[in-house]
Amino acid sequence: MTAPLLAEAHRLAAAGRAAEAIALYDQVLAQDPAVADAANNAGVLLRRQGAQAAALRRYRQALAAMPDHADAGWNLGRLLLDQGEADEAFLHLRRAAALRPGWERWHGLGQACQARGDLAGAEAAYRDALVAKPDAVEALNNLGTTLQAMGQLEAALPLLDRALALAPDHADLRYNRSLLLMLMGRWAEGWREHEWRWRAPGFLSPRRRFGSPAWDGSPIEGTLLLHWEQGLGDTIQFLRYIEAARRRAGRLVLEVQPPLLPLLHDLPGADLVLPAGSPLPPHAAHAPLLSLPHLLGEPMPSPTRPYLFAEAGGAARWSARLRGEGPLVGLVWAGNPRHANDRNRSIPFGLLAPLLHRAGLRWVSLQVGPRAADLATAEAGTRVIDAAPALTDFAETAAALAQIDLLIAADTAVAHLAGALGRPCWLLLPHAPDWRWGRQDNQCCWYESLRLWRQPAPGDWASVIEEIAASLPRR
């Protein structure tokens, strides 16, 4: 009874008549909910239409009817992976790869492993994919990024180079390669490749369009607009180039995220600082902040003198608020929870307990956002002054930083602020650090006042905390 309907639904789907095909698949399933092919194929069409929840239900229905339906498991796993459900996606994609091996199935499994933080599993799956299809550009790209995350930079680069030879216009590949090059200290080439970020599908900041042309770094007589493009920390880091850019323009207008505005009202080199979202004045050219090293021909980073300063009145208020006996140490243990690498770079507050038991030191939390609540749920939090309620913007944070003897911080915007202010900061880095921090040594190539502390192995914050506890100044 259902066979003719199913055949007709398949025909309509192949002809691109998705709505009619879905209606027939629904009729088939109304008569027999266990027709796995109908449920799976309906899920495929629903997903193409953007009906993700409905597609999910159909894939699950197909697997309930036929647990070894390789295509339904594959489709469900990919949809779950796109929705951030990496653990369940892994289970389905592993089963689908076992049922029907092939380079694409192994590659999908590798993506699930990578999303779960299982780098060894990702490496094995990507290598299986490349055995099946040695010229699979996506597998080469993802194996390269996996090896980079494992600290195997010299093994990662040839894979990305090989992929680049196969697909020279692959923007995501070139963007990933730019980050690897900069992590390796090959700055000039890295900044040049970094301009591909705007074409990369995975890049979170779409290129903005203005009435003026993009600046090429040449001197101009009119107004140059420089604008933010990524996170707060990125903006703070690249403000160091403002004065150099100003020397090549008749006037310089800077657009930043609103939380930074109170800090930058008298920024040297900027004739006007505006918050994002406000009307922009006429300008002759524009450029994003992270393009400045490339445009200015200054690829090699170097520690600079402090280029941001706490406002005197705010510093006086915080001096009175934090006055006390003994060295004052600030803490920031977590960054933006929406950051793609947050689970690697943020630190569970409980792991900081060995620091807080050191005698003779006073502690103040500069942690803001949802993780500031960690203080209230941890016994060690009673030893820490909670400054978060008064940290309403970055000018207040700068004034608070001016009072501390040392900041101990995860990789967050506050660490960049401490460096830009010239305040002592110990920066705690995951085993696979962000491109800007390099891959070895404890010296920072961007900020003189930062000392870098690196995980000896992925996830090993305990060793880092133990080493820092032994190095803390005593009363």
Side-chain angles (χ1 to χ4, degrees):
M1 181 90 178
T2 61
L5 285 177
L6 188 61
E8 178 63 8
H10 291 339
R11 186 189 70 78
L12 291 170
R17 295 161 65 178
E20 296 169 78
I22 291 171
L24 280 186
Y25 284 132
D26 287 345
Q27 287 186 42
V28 171
L29 293 166
Q31 296 178 25
D32 184 355
V35 181
D37 279 349
N40 176 64
N41 290 2
V44 171
L45 296 176
L46 288 165
R47 188 176 183 192
R48 287 175 186 168
Q49 294 181 342
Q52 311 293 352
L56 202 68
R57 288 193 296 271
R58 287 307 194 196
Y59 293 147
R60 292 194 188 281
Q61 181 179 358
L63 285 178
M66 186 183 294
D68 285 346
H69 196 294
D71 288 341
W74 166 250
N75 291 329
L76 176 58
R78 288 192 304 165
L79 178 52
L80 289 168
L81 190 59
D82 287 348
Q83 293 180 340
E85 301 292 337
D87 289 336
E88 187 184 354
F90 165 76
L91 298 175
H92 294 293
L93 294 173
R94 180 179 61 180
R95 181 65 176 155
L99 290 169
R100 189 172 297 166
W103 86 267
E104 191 176 17
R105 299 291 171 99
W106 291 118
H107 180 256
L109 177 60
Q111 289 177 301
C113 290
Q114 199 169 2
R116 299 174 74 226
D118 177 10
L119 299 180
E123 179 188 2
Y126 290 139
R127 291 196 185 281
D128 284 340
L130 288 168
V131 168
K133 186 179 180 182
D135 61 349
V137 171
E138 295 298 339
L140 289 166
N141 183 20
N142 287 332
L143 178 57
T145 59
T146 298
L147 293 178
Q148 177 181 336
M150 298 171 76
Q152 301 177 32
L153 308 191
E154 280 72 18
L157 187 59
L159 291 165
L160 299 187
D161 288 344
R162 183 170 140 204
L164 185 62
L166 293 166
D169 292 329
H170 192 299
D172 199 50
L173 164 64
R174 298 193 75 148
Y175 172 58
N176 289 338
R177 186 171 176 272
S178 76
L179 303 183
L180 175 57
L181 289 168
M182 291 190 285
L183 182 60
M184 298 176 75
R186 294 169 57 173
W187 293 102
E189 187 179 359
W191 288 125
R192 186 168 59 250
E193 288 288 278
H194 198 238
E195 292 301 299
W196 280 83
R197 66 192 184 277
W198 303 111
R199 307 187 205 178
F203 190 61
L204 298 179
S205 301
R207 185 153 203 170
R208 294 166 61 187
R209 303 299 174 187
F210 299 92
S212 67
W215 189 45
D216 63 1
S218 302
I220 60 173
E221 294 183 0
T223 296
L224 172 62
L225 169 67
L226 299 181
H227 63 87
W228 71 282
E229 60 166 278
Q230 296 185 41
L232 293 162
D234 298 283
T235 299
I236 292 170
Q237 180 182 358
F238 286 86
L239 291 176
R240 71 186 58 232
Y241 295 102
I242 294 296
E243 291 188 76
R246 177 65 179 81
R247 289 192 288 271
R248 301 190 188 186
R251 187 169 182 263
L252 190 144
V253 173
L254 173 66
E255 183 207 54
V256 299
Q257 302 96 314
L260 292 173
L261 189 65
L263 177 68
L264 306 178
H265 64 276
D266 58 353
L267 180 69
D271 297 288
L272 177 64
V273 183
L274 296 172
S278 49
L280 297 171
H283 46 278
H286 68 273
L289 284 174
L290 270 70
S291 289
L292 291 181
H294 174 63
L295 295 173
L296 295 170
E298 299 182 14
M300 288 294 294
S302 60
T304 63
R305 58 180 172 80
Y307 54 89
L308 297 181
F309 305 91
E311 190 270 326
R317 291 194 306 275
W318 278 96
S319 177
R321 183 177 289 154
L322 298 175
R323 185 179 296 120
E325 293 295 326
L328 182 62
V329 184
L331 287 175
V332 176
W333 57 90
N336 183 348
R338 295 185 298 275
H339 190 280
N341 198 38
D342 178 65
R343 72 175 179 178
N344 290 319
R345 68 178 196 168
S346 291
I347 305 166
F349 180 75
L351 294 180
L352 302 178
L355 307 181
L356 303 181
H357 288 286
R358 288 297 303 272
L361 299 177
R362 295 184 300 130
W363 299 90
V364 57
S365 169
L366 305 182
Q367 178 69 49
V368 297
R371 291 289 301 278
D374 292 354
L375 280 177
T377 60
E379 179 185 351
T382 60
R383 301 181 179 89
V384 183
I385 302 167
D386 185 7
L391 298 176
T392 53
D393 56 46
F394 275 81
E396 291 295 327
T397 305
L401 284 170
Q403 314 312 312
I404 67 171
D405 297 288
L406 172 67
L407 174 68
I408 298 176
D411 184 1
T412 68
V414 181
H416 286 282
L417 179 58
L421 293 165
R423 302 303 300 159
C425 174
W426 290 359
L427 179 62
L428 282 59
L429 296 176
H431 182 67
D434 196 34
W435 57 267
R436 71 198 80 214
W437 305 123
R439 54 176 170 166
Q440 59 190 2
D441 298 332
N442 62 9
Q443 300 301 309
C444 177
C445 61
W446 297 97
Y447 307 107
E448 284 186 349
S449 63
L450 263 63
R451 179 179 177 183
L452 309 180
W453 300 78
R454 302 174 184 273
Q455 282 184 346
D460 186 6
W461 287 122
S463 295
V464 178
I465 300 301
E466 182 180 356
E467 188 178 1
I468 285 179
S471 302
L472 276 172
R474 297 182 181 274
R475 184 181 177 89

